[in-house]
Amino acid sequence: MAIILHADLDAFFASCEQVREPSLDGRPVVVCIYSGRGSDGGAVSTASYAAREHGIHAGMPISQAKEMADDEFAFVEADHDFYREVSDRVQGLVQEHADEVEAASIDEAYARLDVDGYTDARDVAAALKEEIREAEGLTASVGIGPNKLVAKIASDREKPDGLTVVEPDAVQEFLDPLDVGELHGVGPKTRERLADMSVETVRELRAVAAQRLVRTFGESRGMSLHRKARGEGSTELEERERKQLSKITTLETDAGAMRELRPVVRDLAGQVMDRVAARGWRYSRAAIIVVTPDRETRTRSTSFKSATMDRDRFSRAVEDLLQAFLDEHDGDIRRVGVRAGGFAKGGQRSLGDF
Ligand code: TTP
Ligand code: MG
């Protein structure tokens, strides 16, 4: 049984600006992409939720947004490099909870959760939201469901700062009342043609015979609509270029001694090395991630001169990093993880592989 999580940051670019400049916090913020034509040429990239209350939204001409704004508003120019850095760190937090992650866009990710059921999945989502809040000061909306289609719609339901879990037997009830336009991949044109057939909700779409959809939209799109109306979607994540691979676990009981932690870290190191090897990669960075009982996340990392597939070197490196951390840290830890990074593809094997 696959359990898929979808996380999408709230008003992402605007929220980044508010974190960087706390005086903007709570104010309506409009992030602008200037075209260079005239002082207000260009479009709104995104608006904070306070600004959206005035009707301002992504894609709107900046000049129009300015007409709708009052003195309280802040208009800022988009800074993609800054958002990319924040995005990479948030994607790293998502990776710590899952074997497989798809970084679907700058502010959203799918993850396949390695959990026994939906109760555990909800706990993972709550922990992830908290980590993102603590580490970056951002809120994320998270959806959980049996596939990507359902998880993505779920993450959008209770924005901002939402957490929506849709278990398999609740999928139909969840989707039925929604507008067909909420189904990923149903754009304005398809929506219009469905409206011509008096189909506006998912429930109405589900009642249309597959043959009729195929006649109207062709085999592939028709069948795709038929499946979407039933909440059937893909569970295959598309892995983009990875910058790092990690595995983190919650200890059965909080612990602070190397004697207790060594077997856990060795096991995690082995799992991460399996994943690196499965891709035919070599690594050149090793790191540990530690979460303290008060939920603070710390990392320690080390780099190697060359990239190798040497499993033992990785295991020794993360053990040394953990030992160094424990030497300085007074108290127990709650979660521990290891991370490999700095990948190179294929190529020479080092002696350590044999
Ligand atoms: P979204 O996730 O679509 O929007 P958002 O994060 O601002 O708001 P929401 O809370 O509804 O998720 O897009 C992520 C970022 O991508 C957004 O912050 C800015 C950028 N973006 C644009 O530059 N232009 C656009 O038209 C859209 C939709 C987004
Ligand atoms: Mg978003």
Side-chain angles (χ1 to χ4, degrees):
M1 175 184 66
I3 299 184
I4 305 292
L5 172 150
H6 181 260
D8 187 307
L9 297 167
D10 301 319
F12 180 47
F13 292 3
S15 305
C16 286
E17 294 296 343
Q18 287 169 324
V19 169
R20 178 158 62 177
E21 184 47 66
S23 69
L24 297 178
D25 210 7
R27 280 176 66 187
V29 173
V30 181
V31 178
C32 302
I33 298 177
Y34 291 98
S35 64
R37 288 195 193 160
S39 61
D40 284 341
V44 171
S45 167
T46 195
S48 67
Y49 280 76
R52 290 181 201 189
E53 282 172 17
H54 294 245
I56 294 170
H57 57 79
M60 178 179 274
I62 297 167
S63 51
Q64 187 184 346
K66 286 206 166 155
E67 280 165 25
M68 297 166 81
D70 58 34
D71 293 348
E72 249 214 301
F73 271 69
F75 285 79
V76 289
E77 183 171 6
D79 177 355
H80 283 96
D81 290 343
F82 172 53
Y83 312 141
R84 173 54 62 192
E85 277 172 34
V86 178
S87 170
D88 285 348
R89 290 197 300 268
V90 173
Q91 298 283 1
L93 293 175
V94 178
Q95 277 183 19
E96 283 163 21
H97 289 284
D99 281 347
E100 261 186 87
V101 174
E102 175 179 338
S105 79
I106 193 163
D107 86 328
E108 57 176 327
Y110 293 99
R112 183 197 307 281
L113 298 183
D114 181 18
V115 292
D116 290 331
Y118 281 80
T119 308
D120 288 353
R122 179 185 286 275
D123 289 346
V124 169
L128 173 64
K129 278 163 61 76
E130 192 51 37
E131 286 164 21
I132 296 172
R133 189 196 310 276
E134 273 183 27
E136 302 295 341
L138 299 173
T139 60
S141 292
V142 176
I144 288 172
N147 57 53
K148 286 162 75 174
L149 177 87
V150 174
K152 182 164 168 87
I153 297 171
S155 74
D156 211 29
R157 288 323 289 169
E158 293 169 36
K159 259 185 173 296
D161 204 12
L163 172 50
T164 306
V165 180
V166 185
E167 297 198 27
D169 20 350
V171 166
Q172 205 62 66
E173 192 187 341
F174 171 70
L175 294 179
D176 272 351
L178 302 183
D179 188 292
V180 287
E182 301 255 354
L183 298 173
H184 197 54
V186 176
K189 279 200 184 132
T190 306
R191 195 165 165 267
E192 216 171 284
R193 283 175 80 180
L194 286 168
D196 291 341
M197 299 161 70
S198 301
V199 171
E200 279 170 5
T201 64
V202 175
R203 185 183 283 108
E204 287 159 353
L205 178 60
R206 189 155 58 92
V208 181
Q211 286 167 332
R212 183 156 173 237
L213 291 172
V214 168
R215 269 202 311 276
T216 315
F217 296 97
E219 173 73 26
S220 124
R221 289 225 298 141
M223 286 314 291
S224 158
L225 285 170
H226 177 78
R227 281 194 295 272
K228 281 179 180 160
R230 282 155 187 75
E232 292 168 23
S234 167
T235 57
E236 297 296 315
L237 304 195
E238 291 166 33
E239 294 202 38
R240 310 286 160 95
E241 273 295 284
R242 287 276 198 120
K243 294 203 173 103
Q244 48 198 35
L245 276 170
S246 60
K247 183 84 193 165
I248 190 164
T249 191
T250 303
L251 300 167
E252 273 170 38
T253 51
D254 293 354
M258 198 61 196
R259 162 173 50 78
E260 301 162 280
L261 295 167
R262 183 175 288 114
V264 179
V265 171
R266 278 197 186 154
D267 180 52
L268 293 172
Q271 292 185 49
V272 167
M273 283 297 104
D274 286 346
R275 286 158 61 194
V276 172
R279 294 170 170 81
W281 289 354
R282 293 171 292 134
Y283 67 90
S284 65
R285 268 204 304 281
I288 56 153
I289 305 143
V290 170
V291 182
T292 58
D294 53 7
R295 313 287 163 110
E296 232 182 275
T297 302
R298 312 270 183 77
T299 57
R300 291 276 188 284
S301 66
T302 184
S303 293
F304 305 100
K305 280 207 187 82
S306 61
T308 76
M309 295 166 100
D310 187 338
R311 300 175 66 96
D312 292 338
R313 186 182 67 168
F314 184 78
S315 194
R316 278 196 308 276
V318 293
E319 281 177 48
D320 289 349
L321 287 167
L322 185 60
Q323 183 67 63
F325 177 85
L326 294 175
D327 290 346
E328 295 165 24
H329 175 77
D330 187 18
D332 283 348
I333 65 181
R334 177 181 144 81
R335 308 182 75 216
V336 65
V338 308
R339 175 190 294 158
F343 298 123
K345 283 187 186 156
Q348 240 178 331
R349 291 171 156 230
S350 79
L351 279 176
D353 297 330
F354 298 99

